[in-house]
Amino acid sequence: MENLSLKVNGEHIETTINPATTLKKFLSAHLGLTGTKEGCGEGLCGGCTVRADGKAVKSCIILALQMNGKSIQTIEGLAQGEELDPVQEAFLDHGAFQCGYCTPGMIMASRSFLDENPAPSEKEVRHALSGNLCRCTGYNKIVKAVLSVEPKKETAAK
Ligand code: FES
Ligand code: FES
């Protein structure tokens, strides 16, 4: 077992962990944060995307120990109390999901992307989300949702 010290959704956590534990497993099995979805388990589908110090990462192929000292944000930590993040609002407004399995990863990847590029083109959105697969929507509503997030609302970016 190894020591692990990190923040998850703003909460400081000190624990010991099997060094082979992935970040995805740590979040779900150890912390009960099941909103992050695992699809392929091989870094290909993006379903498990969370943010580490603001950057989108695929939690199925990262060891929890690699996150020592970092600040992790999952879909559970994106809203501010009752106030949804603008990306979450946009997905709702545009009906940008069907089964919803890809949605947490899509939203976390979109949030990170928009923090770096608040006024992207459609091409840039499609490129940014190319590592996040959706079996249901055909992507158009997802892309429209991301494009609809207004830059001026990004001052609350986390
Ligand atoms: S489950 Fe992590 S990328 Fe597919
Ligand atoms: S909404 Fe079903 S996989 Fe994307």
Side-chain angles (χ1 to χ4, degrees), residues 37-48 58-61:
K37 302 305 180 194
E38 182 158 341
C40 65
E42 298 178 347
L44 301 174
C45 75
C48 64
K58 293 178 177 176
S59 62
C60 72
I61 53 168

Side-chain angles (χ1 to χ4, degrees), residues 7-80:
K7 271 190 185 173
V8 178
N9 296 333
E11 184 183 342
H12 190 67
I13 294 170
E14 301 263 356
T15 187
T16 56
I17 192 167
N18 182 321
T21 306
T22 64
L23 177 59
K24 170 68 185 78
K25 186 170 182 188
F26 173 69
L27 293 170
S28 58
H30 293 246
L31 302 183
L33 296 170
T34 56
T36 303
K37 302 305 180 194
E38 182 158 341
C40 65
E42 298 178 347
L44 301 174
C45 75
C48 64
T49 304
V50 300
R51 303 174 77 199
D53 290 345
K55 304 282 185 200
V57 297
K58 293 178 177 176
S59 62
C60 72
I61 53 168
I62 286 185
L63 297 175
L65 277 182
Q66 291 176 272
M67 298 294 102
N68 242 323
K70 294 192 183 297
S71 180
I72 307 301
Q73 186 183 45
T74 71
I75 190 71
E76 290 92 341
L78 190 56
Q80 297 293 297

